[in-house]
Amino acid sequence: MENQNPTTTQTLNSDIISSLPLNIIEYILTRMPLRDALRTSVLSKTWRYTWRGMPKLVFTDDMVTMSSNHLCRELKKYKLVNAIFHVLMLHNGPETLVFDCSVGKLHLESDIALIISYLARRTKVKKLFFGSDDRSYKLPVSFFSLQGLECVHLYDCILEPPLTFNGFSSLTIFRIWDVDVSAQKLQQFLSKCPQLVNLRLAGCQKGIDFVAGENKFTFGDLLQCVPLIQTLNISKYYMKYLCAGGMPHKLPTSLAHLKDLFLDVCLVEQNEISSALCIIRSSPVLQKIKFLMSDNEKLPVQQTPSNFLDPEDYPDLKLDYLVTLEIANFSNLPLEMKFVKLIMAKSPLLKNVKIKLNDNVSVDEEMKMLKDMLRLPILRASPCAELIIDRP
């Protein structure tokens, strides 16, 4: 030990992490569960207040651990609410860039209004993730005063903008799952967020019977609200309602920025296939198409002309930037394969075509499909296009 190199000893004893720049340390802390990040305050005087500048605060149900009986759940809820306010009051970062409150199991709905109101007064939240476990919970009015929002993810709640809502001028990403919202309110909200580039509408059937009343909301209405859209993701039931009445051959205004399109589509429903084709035709810079085939195997196959979706009948369809086509839950219906052929024939830069088969497609059907492809090769505008068929 006496002959140990001093430089080696100094290296072993040095606190490499504490010597890192503060922004790097704060980033490391955000990669940890918040409870563990808070515990770093006992390491040393240097670390006592380091967590207070974290740019991301994520609160989850498991931050407070107790048994599952009713009284303990209420105590756990009380302790978690106190912990949230304690963290918010001590947090001294210039901004809370990300606030994630995914605590649906504890039913904090009655406290969320106070939490969001506090955020609106004290901090500038850029990203908000909020999950409830109560579909009857209405977002508080204070939510609509978070004017710095750039990204919002909402789960299981009611979205009802007040008449005084002036919009989120900086919001670029808006995603909702199982959110109850009327057609009128959704249109009102989207039309007042002019910078939206990423939109996802997902939900179960119960949550989106929002066009049953007088106010209809179609794809045409939706796309007029989001002129800068780059990524559009529409799930099964929203697709059915938005497609009501079909779509024109092409939209009057081009979706000049749309690059990524994700749709749940039932190709044997005329309104859905016409809507999907209309969006594709109207998107000159589209780079990725991803379809999840819904209910194709459950509905009777409709009679269509033999040349339906024939590439020669779509001279105006040009996909000069499309690189990727993915289709999941492929049922091996003739119409599905015609759609694949149409896209491959119109995409000169296409590289990846991936088809994920439905569980109901037998091995024999898959072999027959492959033989048919070899017997009648698919017309490809891109010689580099690689077709992959994948079984779940």
Side-chain angles (χ1 to χ4, degrees):
M1 292 295 294
E2 294 179 358
N3 296 326
Q4 189 173 18
N5 190 325
T7 305
T8 304
T9 304
Q10 184 178 3
T11 302
L12 290 174
N13 292 334
S14 63
D15 184 353
I16 298 176
I17 295 181
S18 295
S19 64
L20 292 172
L22 182 58
N23 64 318
I24 300 297
I25 294 176
E26 290 174 347
Y27 176 77
I28 293 173
L29 291 178
T30 62
R31 309 294 291 182
M32 303 166 59
L34 182 56
R35 184 171 58 180
D36 295 336
L38 298 177
R39 287 173 175 170
T40 61
S41 62
V42 303
L43 294 177
S44 67
K45 291 182 179 180
T46 304
W47 284 85
R48 182 169 298 172
Y49 301 113
T50 303
W51 68 267
R52 294 173 62 180
M54 289 171 57
K56 182 178 181 180
L57 300 176
V58 180
F59 299 96
T60 58
D61 289 309
D62 58 3
M63 281 190 64
V64 179
T65 55
M66 300 184 73
S67 61
S68 58
N69 66 63
H70 176 71
L71 290 176
C72 286
R73 281 201 304 271
E74 289 300 310
L75 180 58
K76 181 178 180 179
K77 174 181 173 180
Y78 173 78
K79 294 180 70 173
L80 182 56
V81 171
N82 280 349
I84 292 175
F85 276 109
H86 179 75
V87 169
L88 290 179
M89 285 188 290
L90 291 179
H91 189 269
N92 63 357
E95 298 176 330
T96 300
L97 297 181
V98 181
F99 183 80
D100 187 338
C101 192
S102 302
V103 290
K105 294 180 181 178
L106 288 181
H107 302 288
L108 296 188
E109 289 80 10
S110 59
D111 303 286
I112 283 296
L114 292 174
I115 294 172
I116 293 181
S117 179
Y118 183 89
L119 288 172
R121 293 195 311 269
R122 295 288 301 274
T123 61
K124 183 178 181 181
V125 181
K126 289 191 176 182
K127 298 182 181 180
L128 176 68
F129 298 76
F130 172 66
S132 168
D133 199 30
D134 182 359
R135 290 285 296 281
S136 64
Y137 174 71
K138 182 179 175 181
L139 281 173
V141 175
S142 54
F143 163 76
F144 300 97
S145 63
L146 294 171
Q147 286 301 306
L149 284 175
E150 297 177 0
C151 173
V152 171
H153 292 224
L154 299 177
Y155 310 80
D156 296 306
C157 60
I158 297 174
L159 176 67
E160 190 172 332
L163 294 176
T164 55
F165 176 57
N166 293 320
F168 292 133
S169 59
S170 301
L171 190 66
T172 58
I173 300 174
F174 183 60
R175 299 175 180 176
I176 59 175
W177 287 261
D178 294 340
V179 170
D180 287 336
V181 56
S182 70
Q184 182 183 20
K185 292 296 184 180
L186 181 60
Q187 186 171 11
Q188 175 192 349
F189 181 89
L190 295 177
S191 63
K192 293 186 177 181
C193 302
Q195 299 301 317
L196 274 178
V197 298
N198 188 316
L199 174 65
R200 181 176 184 181
L201 303 178
C204 65
Q205 187 171 12
K206 181 181 178 182
I208 39 185
D209 289 329
F210 66 162
V211 294
E214 300 176 357
N215 298 310
K216 300 296 182 182
F217 190 46
T218 67
F219 253 123
D221 300 323
L222 171 68
L223 296 173
Q224 286 182 10
C225 294
V226 288
L228 302 181
I229 195 71
Q230 296 180 19
T231 299
L232 182 64
N233 190 324
I234 307 294
S235 74
K236 174 180 176 179
Y237 292 108
Y238 272 103
M239 188 75 184
K240 292 185 181 302
Y241 287 118
L242 291 168
C243 291
M247 292 269 278
H249 178 77
K250 195 172 184 179
L251 292 174
T253 304
S254 173
L255 299 173
H257 307 280
L258 185 61
K259 297 179 180 179
D260 300 316
L261 179 63
F262 304 86
L263 299 177
D264 287 6
V265 182
C266 179
L267 282 184
V268 297
E269 288 282 357
Q270 188 64 39
N271 285 343
E272 294 192 31
I273 188 172
S274 66
S275 297
L277 287 172
C278 177
I279 294 173
I280 292 172
R281 279 197 198 97
S282 306
S283 307
V285 297
L286 203 57
Q287 297 178 6
K288 182 175 184 177
I289 298 174
K290 186 173 182 178
F291 280 2
L292 173 63
M293 298 302 184
S294 300
D295 298 330
N296 285 354
E297 74 282 1
K298 298 178 182 178
L299 298 175
V301 179
Q302 299 177 359
Q303 296 297 320
T304 57
S306 58
N307 65 340
F308 186 61
L309 294 184
D310 190 321
E312 294 183 1
D313 292 335
Y314 293 84
D316 60 331
L317 180 58
K318 296 181 180 180
L319 299 171
D320 293 337
Y321 296 89
L322 191 70
V323 175
T324 301
L325 170 66
E326 292 184 16
I327 299 180
N329 202 34
F330 192 88
S331 301
N332 196 27
L333 296 177
L335 204 57
E336 292 175 319
M337 186 51 70
K338 286 183 178 180
F339 177 77
V340 173
K341 292 178 180 179
L342 173 63
I343 299 301
M344 294 186 70
K346 298 292 184 176
S347 310
L349 297 182
L350 193 63
K351 293 183 179 180
N352 305 304
V353 179
K354 188 170 185 178
I355 296 175
K356 296 182 180 180
L357 298 177
N358 184 294
D359 289 335
N360 296 328
V361 178
S362 67
V363 175
D364 290 340
E365 289 178 298
E366 180 183 356
M367 293 302 296
K368 183 179 183 302
M369 182 170 62
L370 292 172
K371 288 180 181 179
D372 290 343
M373 288 180 184
L374 291 174
R375 189 180 302 115
L376 298 172
I378 296 176
L379 176 63
R380 307 183 185 195
S382 169
C384 300
E386 181 181 12
L387 177 62
I388 300 173
I389 298 178
D390 185 23
R391 178 168 291 279

